[in-house]
Amino acid sequence: MARKPLSTEQVKALHDGLVIPAQPLAITEERKLDETHQRALTRYYIAAGAGGVAVGVHSTQFEIREPQYNLYEPVLKLAAEEVDNAKLDRPFIKVAGVCGPTPQALNEAGIAVRLGYDAALVSMGGLKDWSEEQHLERIRAVAELIPVIGFYLQPSVGGRIFSFDFWRQLADIDGVVAIKMAPFNRYQTIDVVRAVCYSSRRDEIALYTGNDDNIVTDLLTTYRFNVDGQTVEKKIVGGLLGHWCVWTKKAVELLEEVKQVRNDAVLSADWLTRNIDVTETNAAFFDPANNFAGCIPGIHEVLRRQGLLKGIWCLNPHEVLSPGQSEEIDRMYRDYPHLNDDDFVKANLSDWLK
C-alpha cells in the first residue's frame, strides 16, 4: 500500500501553522462510548476554526485500545465522518494517534489509512527498552503507509529522552511531515529544532508545540543555528495540543494574532505576560502540581461545564480530578475570562448535539 501524501493545500496550511486539538473521549457513566457528544466535539473543533484534529492520542485515552473497550477504530471513524460531512472549503488534517510495538503501530496506521486519515502522530511511549535504531525502524515502517508526525513525549508522562542524532535521523526519513515536541524542557526542545535544521529535509518538516507550559513563546520564537557555515532559521508554527481541545476558538484567535506579529523585529512585552496567562490555565487543566494525574479529567471538566461532555468519566476509574483542581479551574474562569469561549459554545451547542 503506497503512502498517500498530503495535498499541496494541506502542506501549505501545515507549514503556515494550525490549531490541532487532541480530541478527548466522550463516554457515559457506564463507560460506554457516547456517540452524540463524541461527534459534537469534532463539530465544535471544526466550527471553532481548528485546522485539524488528532484522535486516538493521549487525550483520547490509551485504554481505547484495550480489548474490553475496543474503541480505537470506532472513535477514529466518528471523527472522520464528521470532518467529511462538514464539506470544508479549507484544508483540514485528520491525525491518527499510533502507538505500540511495530506490528501494533502498523495495524493502527492501516486502520487510519482505511478511514481516510491524513497523517499519523507516532508515540514512542511504552517502549523504554528499545534502542533508538529500533524506534527509527518503526517510524520508517509506519511512514511507508501514511505521512508521519514525530512526537517527543515528555519523560514525566511515560516518554524518554532521545539524542540529537536520533532526531537528526528521524528528520531524514521520507514521509515525516512534522514533529510535535512535548518534552517540557528547553534543552530537549532545542535538540529537536537544531536536528531538523541539520537535515536536508528541514523545509519539508513543520514544527509543532506540545509544550503546554510555553505555548505562546514557542509560537513566537525564531530558532537560529549555524549549519556548515550557513545560518538556518526555523519556527514552531502551530500546536497539536491537548490544551487546545478546550477553549478552542480562543486558541484559533490566538494563533492568528501570533501569525500577524511573529516576523516582526520588535514584539510587545505583553506577549510574555500572555504566555503566563495561558500557562497558568494549563496548570489548572493539566494538573502538573500532581504530576499530571488529573490532566484528562481536567480537560473533561472544562468541556462538561460547557455542555460538550456529560461528565468527566475516564475508562480508567482511578483517573479523577485531583484535590483542589476544580477550584483552580474556577479561578481560571475568574482571573482569565478573556481566554474562554463559553459564549461561542453556548450559541452553537444545540446544533452540535443534533
Side-chain angles (χ1 to χ4, degrees):
M1 180 168 54
R3 179 182 69 239
K4 178 187 174 185
L6 298 176
S7 70
T8 302
E9 293 76 17
Q10 286 175 319
V11 170
K12 185 176 183 298
L14 185 69
H15 283 261
D16 183 52
L18 298 170
V19 167
I20 304 179
Q23 187 168 47
L25 178 70
I27 58 173
T28 66
E29 192 170 5
E30 294 74 35
R31 293 182 167 77
K32 305 291 185 184
L33 180 62
D34 180 347
E35 182 174 325
T36 298
H37 285 80
Q38 193 68 44
R39 289 184 182 276
L41 285 170
T42 307
R43 293 170 184 173
Y44 161 51
Y45 300 137
I46 293 170
V53 64
V55 191
V57 294
H58 175 252
S59 298
T60 326
Q61 301 177 45
F62 289 128
E63 289 85 356
I64 59 173
R65 295 164 171 83
E66 294 178 2
Q68 67 266 38
Y69 301 118
N70 197 27
L71 288 175
Y72 180 79
E73 184 168 349
V75 172
L76 262 66
K77 186 171 185 287
L78 289 179
E81 287 176 357
E82 288 305 320
V83 175
D84 294 344
N85 290 343
K87 295 182 170 53
L88 294 170
D89 59 359
R90 58 185 172 87
F92 193 92
I93 298 176
K94 300 190 291 290
V95 179
V98 165
C99 69
T102 304
Q104 177 185 338
L106 291 175
N107 179 60
E108 292 182 3
I111 292 170
V113 170
R114 179 160 47 79
L115 293 175
Y117 276 73
D118 304 297
L121 178 71
V122 183
S123 170
M124 291 174 287
L127 304 169
K128 292 182 179 180
D129 57 341
W130 280 37
S131 68
E132 291 191 344
E133 183 53 39
Q134 286 176 301
H135 278 283
L136 290 167
E137 285 299 322
R138 174 172 165 270
I139 295 285
R140 292 185 188 105
V142 174
E144 290 181 7
L145 301 181
I146 188 170
V148 163
I149 300 174
F151 183 13
Y152 202 168
L153 184 68
Q154 57 167 341
S156 59
V157 287
R160 58 175 272 191
I161 295 173
F162 287 89
S163 68
F164 167 85
D165 191 55
F166 171 84
W167 293 109
R168 172 73 175 75
Q169 292 184 66
L170 185 141
D172 284 341
I173 296 173
D174 182 48
V176 173
V177 296
I179 298 175
K180 165 188 166 163
M181 296 161 290
F184 285 31
N185 179 299
R186 294 302 102 194
Y187 302 122
Q188 293 156 24
T189 300
I190 292 169
D191 275 347
V192 179
V193 183
R194 187 167 69 93
V196 171
C197 287
Y198 270 75
S199 171
S200 61
R201 297 189 65 253
R202 59 180 170 254
D203 294 334
E204 300 173 54
I205 296 175
L207 296 178
Y208 273 65
T209 183
N211 288 319
D212 303 81
D213 64 351
N214 211 53
I215 294 169
V216 176
T217 303
D218 272 354
L219 295 170
L220 287 166
T221 301
T222 298
Y223 291 78
R224 182 180 299 125
F225 303 101
N226 184 309
V227 180
D228 299 325
Q230 174 190 0
T231 299
V232 176
E233 294 184 347
K234 195 78 176 167
K235 292 180 181 293
I236 296 171
V237 295
L240 197 167
L241 290 156
H243 182 95
W244 279 356
C245 75
V246 300
W247 299 357
T248 308
K249 184 167 176 55
K250 293 296 185 178
V252 171
E253 292 172 3
L254 172 68
L255 182 58
E256 290 308 310
E257 276 192 77
V258 166
K259 289 179 183 181
Q260 298 300 314
V261 304
R262 65 185 175 190
N263 294 316
D264 291 356
V266 178
L267 289 171
S268 166
D270 183 60
W271 282 106
L272 298 173
T273 303
R274 292 179 69 180
N275 183 57
I276 298 305
D277 293 352
V278 173
T279 298
E280 202 183 13
T281 61
N282 180 265
F285 304 159
F286 270 61
D287 196 31
N290 296 285
N291 292 317
F292 304 96
C295 65
I296 293 177
I299 58 179
H300 284 190
E301 173 62 13
V302 179
L303 294 168
R304 182 199 65 78
R305 294 181 186 206
Q306 293 182 315
L308 283 158
L309 289 181
K310 276 188 172 179
I312 66 169
W313 311 291
C314 296
L315 293 175
N316 177 354
H318 300 295
E319 287 200 60
V320 295
L321 290 174
S322 292
Q325 193 175 1
S326 180
E327 289 79 6
E328 277 296 283
I329 294 172
D330 291 341
R331 189 170 66 83
M332 295 308 101
Y333 268 99
R334 186 189 72 230
D335 291 358
Y336 305 111
H338 55 287
L339 292 179
N340 78 67
D341 64 356
D342 285 25
D343 290 343
F344 170 71
V345 173
K346 186 178 179 180
N348 294 281
L349 185 61
S350 59
D351 289 335
W352 299 333
L353 289 172
K354 284 179 181 174

